[in-house]
Amino acid sequence: MSSPLFSWADVARIAPELWIAGMAMVLLVVDIFVPRGKKMWLGVISLLICIGGIGLVGTAGTGGLIFSNLFSTDAYSSFFKMIFLVATLLTILMSIRFLEIEEAHLGEYYFLLLAAVAGMMFMAAAVDLIAIYISLETMAIACYVLTGFFKRDAKSNEAAMKYFLLGAFASGILLYGMALVYGLTGSTNLYQIAEKLQAGGQDHAVLILGMLLILSGLGFKVAAVPFHMWAPDIYQGAPTPVTGFLSVGPKAAYFSVFLRICLVGLMPLATDWKMMLAWISFFTMAVGNIGAIVQTNVKRLLAYSSIAHVGYLLMGLLAGGDDFGIPGVLLYLFVYVFMNLGAFGIVIYLRSTGQVGDEIEHFQGLAQKNPWAAGLMIVFLLSLTGIPPTAGFVGKYFLFAAAVQEGWMLLAVAGVVFSAVSLYYYFKIAVAMYMGEPTE
């Protein structure tokens, strides 16, 4: 049964999104009255806004479909909202000092972060193609601007332009695929689409084309092979806290949509998309891990690493189910927020001590200068590799176990092999920290 178009009960269910969006606009107004040398207080206010959002997500509860079945306030969406808010909170913590050093402490930076997270929260709850697309673009536009936030930095401007052009191209592909599916099924609601596809009667060739376009558009967004080419340049050119944010927040948001579209709307076509995603998962792990081996820039290395982790996550999507697949993806995305943002945090720390901090050579002798920073970096690298007893190992165990359980044994073996390969390039940083001589 369709829920009413509007009710105050529905409004209460999206209180966290309304809080973040409303306070973002308030923050933009407050910025006018804060002196230039006191902008760090806007960061503190943003932290409090995120903490308030986390509290609202915890108390909003779950109430099923709302706003004429456009959104679903279930446990799944609540979990993703928590991930987004925690990722944003950590990004703000890293940004306050970084922006002071770069002399670019402007209030609109925090507004853009909050606008992006509001879009992500709506994405996680959306169960309608139109709602998904509008939420996606709300987030994407804020991310484009954040990427080019350093207006006088040529690399930042170049990264923003590439991100915008390729992002718009990917959005067009995604929207065209959605239009084809809507034309064949007569609905934009994922649950109704699944029912229509189960009943059959559609032109199979056109339906497969629509499915391919949707998966290609989402593949661009998460930087899966062969749609990954934009990620290293954007990660290197964007401000470091923004790079960390892009690697965890939007990626988790796109996976929240990926899971809903594949495991709800396109589930009747599972035999068609599973084999395709299996090959994409394999080549994404391969290209990401092999491409990272030759990198000397830490941000580019982590970009290729991020591509490889998309391959691992796609394994969980292939497995699906409630036993290991979906819980494995959710757990891994949550863990990934901490281990990846932690690694970027050490890069930012090096910048704060007078170095740029984004080349492996900048880590030379860090263990002698700051044993705590070097030790933390080792923990993050071990977790990214998946070495026991780190949280990264637990996350990968769930993903690989799900793949084996669902019959993707060779894919799981490939994941283990490529995880071993990742140990080599991650520990190039460790070798520099513990065996290199300190540099000025």
Side-chain angles (χ1 to χ4, degrees):
M1 181 182 293
S2 176
S3 63
L5 184 61
F6 176 86
S7 75
W8 287 111
D10 288 354
V11 173
R13 294 295 181 190
I14 60 166
E17 290 90 331
L18 295 178
W19 164 260
I20 295 294
M23 293 308 295
M25 290 184 280
V26 169
L27 188 71
L28 198 59
V29 175
V30 171
D31 177 42
I32 300 171
F33 303 100
V34 178
R36 190 168 184 85
K38 304 289 185 180
K39 298 293 186 182
M40 67 166 291
W41 289 107
L42 296 173
V44 175
I45 295 171
S46 301
L47 289 174
L48 295 175
I49 292 171
C50 288
I51 292 170
I54 291 172
L56 285 172
V57 171
T59 57
T62 55
L65 298 175
I66 58 174
F67 293 116
S68 290
N69 302 337
L70 288 176
F71 300 99
S72 175
T73 55
D74 48 16
Y76 173 88
S77 63
S78 296
F79 186 86
F80 270 105
K81 290 173 189 177
M82 287 288 191
I83 292 178
F84 306 150
L85 288 166
V86 169
T88 306
L89 189 148
L90 294 174
T91 302
I92 293 169
L93 279 173
M94 295 192 304
S95 299
I96 293 174
R97 176 64 180 153
F98 181 82
L99 294 176
E100 290 286 345
I101 295 166
E102 298 291 344
E103 299 180 350
H105 219 145
L106 302 171
E108 53 264 36
Y109 177 87
Y110 301 109
F111 165 77
L112 290 166
L113 278 176
L114 294 175
V117 78
M120 288 189 278
M121 292 168 75
F122 278 114
M123 279 176 70
V127 293
D128 185 276
L129 295 179
I130 296 173
I132 288 171
Y133 186 77
I134 294 173
S135 305
L136 185 153
E137 288 303 304
T138 300
M139 178 202 69
I141 292 170
C143 290
Y144 300 151
V145 181
L146 282 169
T147 303
F149 192 75
F150 290 168
K151 296 179 288 187
R152 295 178 181 83
D153 187 336
K155 285 186 177 179
S156 183
N157 291 334
E158 179 188 351
M161 182 58 70
K162 287 181 178 178
Y163 195 16
F164 170 71
L165 291 176
L166 289 172
F169 180 64
S171 294
I173 292 174
L174 177 64
L175 191 59
Y176 190 28
M178 289 178 173
L180 287 176
V181 171
Y182 166 69
L184 291 169
T185 61
S187 176
T188 56
N189 181 274
L190 294 179
Y191 294 101
Q192 293 178 13
I193 288 171
E195 290 176 5
K196 298 287 179 65
L197 294 179
Q198 193 67 46
Q202 299 87 13
D203 186 317
H204 190 68
V206 179
L207 190 59
I208 294 300
L209 176 60
M211 180 197 75
L212 286 173
L213 290 172
I214 290 174
L215 296 183
S216 298
L218 290 173
F220 263 108
K221 298 295 187 181
V222 299
V225 174
F227 315 110
H228 67 288
M229 67 291 292
W230 59 271
D233 289 342
I234 276 69
Y235 280 34
Q236 185 179 5
T240 307
V242 174
T243 303
F245 178 71
L246 294 177
S247 70
V248 294
K251 189 179 295 294
Y254 290 130
F255 263 100
S256 72
V257 171
F258 222 139
L259 288 166
R260 277 212 198 266
I261 288 180
C262 288
L263 299 180
V264 178
L266 299 181
M267 194 59 193
L269 302 177
T271 53
D272 295 302
W273 57 256
K274 279 195 173 183
M275 186 55 68
M276 183 180 73
L277 285 186
W279 283 107
I280 290 176
S281 174
F282 173 80
F283 284 111
T284 300
M285 290 187 291
V287 171
N289 284 298
I290 294 172
I293 291 174
V294 298
Q295 303 304 318
T296 59
N297 182 280
V298 176
K299 288 167 74 174
R300 289 186 72 88
L301 185 151
L302 290 174
Y304 277 101
S305 159
S306 180
I307 292 168
H309 286 279
V310 169
Y312 305 139
L313 287 163
L314 287 175
M315 230 187 292
L317 171 57
L318 279 170
D322 296 325
D323 295 331
F324 282 103
I326 296 176
V329 172
L330 299 183
L331 173 63
Y332 198 77
L333 284 169
F334 183 73
V335 169
Y336 189 67
V337 167
F338 293 95
M339 57 191 183
N340 213 47
L341 281 179
F344 278 108
I346 302 300
V347 176
I348 293 170
Y349 165 76
L350 291 184
R351 177 67 184 90
S352 69
T353 56
Q355 300 186 78
V356 177
D358 60 355
E359 296 289 338
I360 292 178
E361 64 185 27
H362 296 153
F363 284 78
Q364 294 276 0
L366 180 62
Q368 298 178 41
K369 292 185 289 186
N370 191 321
W372 284 102
L376 282 172
M377 190 64 171
I378 289 292
V379 172
F380 298 136
L381 295 175
L382 286 172
S383 193
L384 286 166
T385 307
I387 301 295
T390 61
F393 166 76
V394 177
K396 282 187 178 179
Y397 169 78
F398 271 89
L399 293 177
F400 296 164
V404 171
Q405 189 179 55
E406 294 299 316
W408 302 99
M409 175 67 77
L410 293 178
L411 199 58
V413 171
V416 173
V417 171
F418 287 125
S419 293
V421 171
S422 71
L423 188 64
Y424 170 77
Y425 60 79
Y426 285 135
F427 271 74
K428 288 198 298 184
I429 302 173
V431 169
M433 290 191 298
Y434 284 90
M435 301 183 68
E437 291 297 323
T439 57
E440 292 297 329

